[in-house]
């Protein structure tokens, strides 16, 4: 949704489109596309922007529903936001509330990332518990333990997480699990706490490095992001800055799979090759040909693809956000593949939908056994979450016949104009609102 380039009172997040996609598959994709800015980098950086009372300008910001929801959350606090194409301008000088209500935190889990930023700048925060979502229970215990270690008094009852500075000072925090969100929330909360904070067993995702670079540009002192130990020296004040977010490695991975599953050839521009290495390595093992080309990478799906085993792991392991997509591909290559989902406890919702297209997949707990088929058949299927929806689009692109995919609003959360980008690669796809 392109907003009027003027300060907005309430920043309305986009409506829920009850749209559907019609796809006629079994055609190779060919051509080139440009990857958009990273959703999972922009969301924490938008949250961090309220740590300064000066204007922050973010560029390379795609038009995604999750970004609209985060903007709505910040506007609810009193920030003023305007968008001009892929530029987002956030002015937090007039923030007057420290509370994120349930109707917003239910829309998107990542709104809990505002808590660390509010605690840092205003020393208090009240955020409604993020809704669990289809892919798992999504607790926030590691976030809260981190805030408590920093000296914030935290209590979580009646559906709210509340925090208030009591005796805040730098500390050492050992994460039980390298949680992406907990690492980001603690980085933000610690950036303006006096003293030195060390986060051990930190998540190493590229989005954590982008957040560190953004914070340091604002005047924070954060070191070590991308490794498992992050050191933060608290500062008193953060300035407004301009920042261009990194490209979306999961969107890139999704289009790489689109090239391979349709046995086509696609050149992806605006990719940081290092960030997609785990997916490149696996696609090469399956038999894809992948080369660096001018501003990114060229991916070709050949005829002699073969099965491979997948185990999702924290970065730099194979990303859980690519598990549904790679499962769609493995459903169409000769042989038996085993997929183990170690990050989330319910991230196989796409399996029953893929089965409707003829996929042969057996699930035992967190393990899926896939027997590849020569062809999938078009069918009516429903997206249950963001990446599951992407997987169904990929399967439909390869299937013989026509598919109808509902629940498209899940896809809108994380993919900007997916059907237009695919149509530009030759896909027979249309969107019906
Ligand atoms: C981020 O979610 C991403 N979202 C997810 O992407 C991604 O799947 C996930 O990291 C893992 O890479 C954003 O960055 C906005 P976690 P996050 O905390 O931070 C458990 C997408 O499709 N856990 O690393 O919520 C949790 O239950 C989305 O773009 C705790 O137990 O992920 C899960 O099993 C989906 N306690 C595991 O850790 C906590 O306090 C990984 O969660 C926090 C997490």
């Amino acid at each position: 949704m392109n907003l009027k380039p003027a300060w907005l009172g309430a920043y309305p997040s986009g409506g829920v489109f009850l749209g559907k996609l019609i796809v006629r598959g079994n055609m190779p994709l060919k051509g080139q596309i440009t990857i958009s800015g990273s959703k999972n980098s922009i969301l924490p950086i938008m949250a961090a922007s309220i740590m300064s009372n000066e204007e922050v300008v973010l560029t390379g910001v795609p038009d995604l529903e999750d970004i609209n929801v985060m903007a709505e959350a910040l506007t609810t606090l009193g920030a003023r936001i305007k968008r001009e194409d892929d530029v987002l301008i956030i002015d937090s000088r007039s923030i007057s509330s420290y509370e994120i209500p349930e109707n917003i935190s239910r829309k998107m889990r990542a709104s809990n990332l505002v808590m660390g930023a509010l605690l840092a700048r205003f020393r208090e925060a009240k955020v409604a518990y993020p809704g669990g979502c289809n892919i798992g229970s999504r607790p926030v215990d590691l976030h809260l333990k981190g805030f408590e270690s920093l000296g914030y008094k935290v209590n979580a009852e009646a559906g709210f997480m509340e925090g208030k500075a009591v005796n805040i000072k730098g500390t050492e925090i050992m994460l039980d699990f390298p949680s992406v969100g907990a690492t980001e929330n603690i980085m933000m909360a610690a950036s303006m706490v006096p003293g030195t904070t060390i986060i051990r067993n930190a998540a190493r995702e590229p989005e954590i490095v982008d957040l560190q670079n953004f914070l340091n540009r604002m005047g924070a002192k954060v070191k070590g992001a991308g490794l498992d130990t992050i050191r933060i020296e608290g500062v008193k004040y953060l300035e407004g800055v301009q920042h261009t977010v990194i490209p979306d490695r999961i969107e890139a991975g999704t289009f790489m799979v689109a090239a391979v599953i349709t046995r086509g050839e696609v050149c992806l521009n605006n990719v940081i090759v290092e960030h997609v290495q785990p997916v490149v390595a696996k696609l090469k093992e399956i038999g894809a040909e992948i080369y660096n080309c001018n501003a990114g990478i060229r991916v070709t799906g050949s005829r002699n693809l073969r099965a491979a085993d997948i185990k999702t792991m924290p970065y730099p392991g194979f990303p859980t956000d690519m598990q549904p997509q790679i499962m769609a591909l493995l459903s169409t290559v000769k042989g038996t593949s085993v997929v183990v989902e170690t990050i989330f406890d319910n991230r196989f919702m796409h399996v029953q939908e893929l089965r409707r297209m003829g996929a042969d997949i057996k699930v035992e707990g967190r393990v899926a056994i896939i027997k590849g088929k020569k062809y999938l058949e078009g069918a009516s299927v429903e997206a249950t979450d963001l990446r599951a929806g992407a997987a169904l689009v990929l399967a439909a692109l390869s299937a013989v016949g026509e598919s109808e995919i509902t629940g498209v609003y899940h896809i809108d959360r994380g993919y900007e104009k997916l059907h237009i980008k695919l149509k530009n690669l030759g896909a027979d796809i249309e969107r019906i609102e």
Side-chain angles (χ1 to χ4, degrees), residues 39-40 109 138-142 179-181 321 343-344 387:
K39 166 178 87 78
N40 291 349
R109 169 185 168 79
R138 315 292 297 271
V140 288
D141 54 309
L142 301 178
S179 152
V180 173
D321 290 350
I343 306 293
F344 288 108
R387 307 301 176 185

Side-chain angles (χ1 to χ4, degrees), residues 174-312:
M174 179 76 191
L175 289 178
D176 300 346
F177 177 84
S179 152
V180 173
T183 302
E184 292 166 341
N185 238 338
I186 295 165
M187 273 168 79
M188 289 187 266
S191 290
M192 299 177 84
V193 159
T196 302
T197 296
I198 296 178
I199 308 173
R200 299 192 191 287
N201 195 25
R204 298 167 51 190
E205 273 70 2
E207 293 77 30
I208 311 266
V209 178
D210 205 22
L211 176 61
Q212 169 183 273
N213 295 341
F214 175 73
L215 287 169
N216 288 343
R217 200 171 283 174
M218 293 171 88
K221 292 191 174 74
V222 185
K223 278 192 299 211
L227 303 172
D228 62 6
T229 304
I230 297 175
R231 175 184 289 268
I232 299 150
E233 303 293 336
V235 296
K236 282 195 169 44
Y237 186 79
L238 293 178
E239 296 163 3
V241 292
Q242 162 135 12
H243 184 81
T244 301
V245 290
I246 57 173
D248 194 316
R249 62 191 168 97
I250 304 300
E251 184 194 23
T254 304
F255 276 99
M256 288 161 62
V257 172
V260 182
I261 201 170
T262 60
R263 293 8 179 214
E265 173 166 315
V266 175
C267 198
L268 290 79
N269 299 323
N270 193 34
V271 175
I272 297 176
V273 178
E274 180 206 339
H275 294 173
V276 295
Q277 273 316 313
V279 179
V280 166
K282 201 43 84 173
L283 289 176
K284 282 183 174 172
E285 186 186 330
I286 293 171
E289 289 152 33
I290 302 180
Y291 305 99
N292 291 356
C293 65
N294 43 20
I297 43 178
R298 191 182 72 226
V299 180
T300 307
S302 61
R303 288 273 157 222
N304 54 355
L305 301 177
R306 54 193 169 279
D309 295 340
I310 306 282
K311 184 173 186 180
T312 63

Side-chain angles (χ1 to χ4, degrees), residues 9-145:
Y11 187 115
S13 76
V16 168
F17 299 116
L18 298 175
K20 62 184 175 183
L21 295 172
I22 308 293
V23 181
R24 290 169 205 86
N26 197 24
M27 280 191 294
L29 297 187
K30 292 207 182 309
Q32 57 178 324
I33 53 130
T34 299
I35 298 300
S36 303
S38 163
K39 166 178 87 78
N40 291 349
S41 187
I42 294 162
L43 292 174
I45 284 175
M46 285 176 74
S49 66
I50 68 168
M51 293 163 71
S52 168
N53 63 8
E54 297 174 13
E55 192 174 82
V56 165
V57 179
L58 303 178
T59 53
V61 179
D63 183 7
L64 299 176
E65 185 53 20
D66 270 12
I67 291 170
N68 293 338
V69 172
M70 180 59 87
E72 190 181 355
L74 302 185
T75 309
T76 304
L77 299 173
R80 301 195 319 166
I81 300 182
K82 66 180 173 184
R83 170 190 277 276
E84 285 156 11
D85 297 330
D86 73 340
V87 178
L88 208 58
I89 301 167
I90 300 173
D91 181 337
S92 307
R93 75 190 80 216
S94 51
I95 283 188
S96 55
S97 157
Y98 314 135
E99 182 171 339
I100 299 288
E102 185 191 359
N103 67 310
I104 289 181
S105 69
R106 273 208 171 286
K107 279 186 197 172
M108 181 184 65
R109 169 185 168 79
S111 42
N112 68 42
L113 291 172
V114 178
M115 186 157 183
L118 284 170
L119 291 175
R121 180 168 164 211
F122 300 106
R123 305 306 196 213
E124 64 177 289
K126 183 176 179 183
V127 176
Y129 245 97
C133 66
N134 307 31
I135 61 176
S137 52
R138 315 292 297 271
V140 288
D141 54 309
L142 301 178
H143 301 235
L144 301 179
K145 275 181 6 187

Side-chain angles (χ1 to χ4, degrees), residues 329-397:
L329 171 58
L330 293 169
S331 301
T332 71
V333 304
K334 203 162 57 291
T336 301
S337 305
V338 178
V339 174
V340 184
E341 171 55 60
T342 71
I343 306 293
F344 288 108
D345 52 21
N346 182 28
R347 198 170 202 169
F348 284 146
M349 305 283 281
H350 45 286
V351 169
Q352 78 253 21
E353 299 303 312
L354 289 171
R355 283 191 189 124
R356 294 165 68 90
M357 302 174 86
D360 178 349
I361 307 172
K362 284 184 182 48
V363 170
E364 283 295 328
R366 291 192 179 207
V367 179
I369 317 281
I370 302 145
K371 284 198 175 61
K373 302 284 279 289
K374 195 156 177 49
Y375 288 104
L376 297 180
E377 296 104 37
S380 288
V381 290
E382 181 178 2
T384 50
D385 62 82
L386 165 56
R387 307 301 176 185
L392 296 176
V393 173
L394 297 175
L397 288 170

